[in-house]
């Protein structure tokens, strides 16, 4: 099935660039620009405006896009249905994931899955729990790889546990500890994500009456690693977020805590054939561990 004009519009909105959209769909920039113009002429409204950061939706465009996404999703499902009748798996799977997941386990999973189903393509969107939850609800993504504890209203499929660990500078005395007592956070200066970004940490602290001095609040785990490396405080983060290129030491805590990482989606029963195949592959992969 050829790429529809609405799928091209969706690529322009997602990339914020005519050039990037053209590269993604394999068309010339001129052809993509003409497609955008033809849609705006057809609707009789301007959908996008140019800003310093790139192309952005107008107020009218923001109201139109949920319908455009719905049309594109329907086209994708139609193509998958046609291919399923031919005995072929195809289509596009859109996934939301934490940066730590997207940078660690997800690439290998996609490679292995593509060995089984080479005709399925992927769109990956990185964000925090709130962004991914919103993308699921509005239909921008098929499912998200997230910590499942706070998503009881969605269908959740647990896959693996990601231990929480204390992060200290490799040059510090604490780096030699085999276990870090969680109560010792009370006597420490912490570098953390904001509570909006890291509900797991604050939930654990409240449960243990930990009132650590939060010295710095940042937006990304890698910033925490850099701050700890430079002895500006210590951290308490998921093991999956630790990077070897930082001079920090990860220490298990007592008591032990972990976050349950898995797939969250609206309704697996109504998902596309490709999504069902990926979920089935994911469950089998982690059941073996």
């Amino acid at each position: 099935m050829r790429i529809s004009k609405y799928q091209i519009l969706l690529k322009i909105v997602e990339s914020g660039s005519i050039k990037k959209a053209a590269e993604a769909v394999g068309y010339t920039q001129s052809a993509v620009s003409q497609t955008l113009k033809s849609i705006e002429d057809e609707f009789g409204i301007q959908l996008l405006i140019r800003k310093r950061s790139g192309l952005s939706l107008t107020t009218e465009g923001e109201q139109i896009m949920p319908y455009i996404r719905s049309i594109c999703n329907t086209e994708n499902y139609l193509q998958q249905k046609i291919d399923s009748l031919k005995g072929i798996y195809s289509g596009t799977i859109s996934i939301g994931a934490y940066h730590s997941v997207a940078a660690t386990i997800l690439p290998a999973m996609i490679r292995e899955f593509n060995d089984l189903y080479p005709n399925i393509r992927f769109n990956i969107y990185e964000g925090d729990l709130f962004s991914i939850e919103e993308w699921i609800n509005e239909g921008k993504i098929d499912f998200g790889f997230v910590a499942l504890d706070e998503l009881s209203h969605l269908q959740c499929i647990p896959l693996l546990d990601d231990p929480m660990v204390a992060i200290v500078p490799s040059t510090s005395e604490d780096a030699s500890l085999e276990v870090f007592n969680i109560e010792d956070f009370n006597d420490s200066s912490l570098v953390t994500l904001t509570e909006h970004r890291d509900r797991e940490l604050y939930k654990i602290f409240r449960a243990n009456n930990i009132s650590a001095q939060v010295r710095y609040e940042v937006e990304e785990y890698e910033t925490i690693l850099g701050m700890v490396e430079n002895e500006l405080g210590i951290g308490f983060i998921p093991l999956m977020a630790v990077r070897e290129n930082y001079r920090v030491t990860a220490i298990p805590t007592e008591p032990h805590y972990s976050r349950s990482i898995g797939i969250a989606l609206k309704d697996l029963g109504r998902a596309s054939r490709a999504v069902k195949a990926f979920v089935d592959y994911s469950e089998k992969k982690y059941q073996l561990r």
Side-chain angles (χ1 to χ4, degrees):
M1 183 180 291
R2 67 179 179 82
I3 297 175
S4 77
K5 61 184 179 182
Y6 295 142
Q7 288 173 319
I8 294 173
L9 173 60
L10 195 56
K11 285 296 182 184
I12 297 172
V13 172
E14 290 173 349
S15 65
S17 164
I18 295 290
K19 180 181 178 181
K20 291 179 180 178
E23 292 172 350
V25 299
Y27 286 8
T28 65
Q29 291 186 52
S30 175
V32 170
S33 294
Q34 286 300 314
T35 299
L36 173 60
K37 184 178 184 304
S38 71
I39 296 173
E40 291 183 325
D41 289 346
E42 176 186 342
F43 291 172
I45 55 177
Q46 185 178 2
L47 300 176
L48 294 165
I49 55 174
R50 187 174 295 280
K51 297 182 178 179
R52 287 187 178 182
S53 57
L55 294 172
S56 298
L57 286 166
T58 62
T59 301
E60 294 79 6
E62 289 177 350
Q63 296 179 56
I64 288 291
M65 283 314 297
Y67 299 95
I68 298 296
R69 285 198 179 93
S70 178
I71 291 170
C72 292
N73 287 338
T74 300
E75 288 184 348
N76 184 33
Y77 295 152
L78 173 60
Q79 184 62 58
Q80 290 186 42
K81 184 61 179 178
I82 292 170
D83 288 339
S84 72
L85 294 172
K86 298 177 181 178
I88 303 170
Y89 278 84
S90 71
T92 300
I93 298 175
S94 295
I95 301 175
Y98 295 150
H99 177 70
S100 58
V101 175
T104 53
I105 66 170
L106 194 53
M109 292 181 70
I110 290 175
R111 186 194 70 240
E112 292 172 5
F113 185 76
N114 275 154
D115 288 341
L116 299 171
Y117 305 103
N119 295 319
I120 295 177
R121 298 182 294 113
F122 288 85
N123 293 326
I124 309 299
Y125 302 88
E126 296 180 46
D128 59 25
L129 179 66
F130 293 95
S131 298
I132 294 170
E133 182 180 4
E134 182 179 346
W135 296 337
I136 293 171
N137 288 327
E138 67 184 21
K140 180 177 180 179
I141 60 176
D142 294 301
F143 59 83
F145 271 96
V146 289
L148 302 178
D149 304 71
E150 306 290 339
L151 294 175
S152 58
H153 64 289
L154 294 173
Q155 184 172 354
C156 296
I157 302 164
L159 297 176
L160 72 157
D161 288 331
D162 185 17
M164 298 290 292
V165 293
I167 299 296
V168 301
S170 294
T171 54
S172 70
E173 293 183 2
D174 286 343
S176 61
L177 293 174
E178 293 186 5
V179 176
F180 189 97
N181 192 309
I182 198 169
E183 292 184 358
D184 289 341
F185 282 119
N186 278 317
D187 303 319
S188 307
S189 296
L190 252 66
V191 186
T192 72
L193 300 187
T194 62
E195 184 168 1
H196 176 81
R197 297 289 305 277
D198 195 352
R199 289 189 284 192
E200 295 99 340
L201 178 146
Y202 287 90
K203 185 177 179 180
I204 293 169
F205 277 9
R206 281 193 289 268
N208 289 274
N209 296 316
I210 303 298
S211 55
Q213 176 190 350
V214 177
R215 191 172 183 182
Y216 301 100
E217 286 190 336
V218 300
E219 292 295 320
E220 300 293 342
Y221 284 126
E222 290 202 13
T223 307
I224 293 178
L225 295 172
M227 301 280 273
V228 172
E229 178 183 49
N230 283 278
E231 302 181 357
L232 295 171
I234 66 174
F236 186 42
I237 69 174
L239 182 60
M240 198 179 292
V242 178
R243 298 290 179 268
E244 293 182 356
N245 55 315
Y246 290 91
R247 294 187 299 275
V248 300
T249 299
I251 307 171
T253 63
E254 176 60 42
H256 169 80
Y257 288 94
S258 64
R259 60 178 185 175
S260 176
I261 296 293
I263 290 173
L265 73 172
K266 281 186 176 180
D267 183 356
L268 181 59
R270 300 180 64 182
S272 70
R273 193 172 183 227
V275 168
K276 289 178 180 177
F278 189 89
V279 171
D280 181 64
Y281 151 79
S282 301
E283 288 188 287
K284 289 178 179 176
K285 177 181 177 66
Y286 285 100
Q287 281 174 357
L288 297 175
R289 296 195 169 193

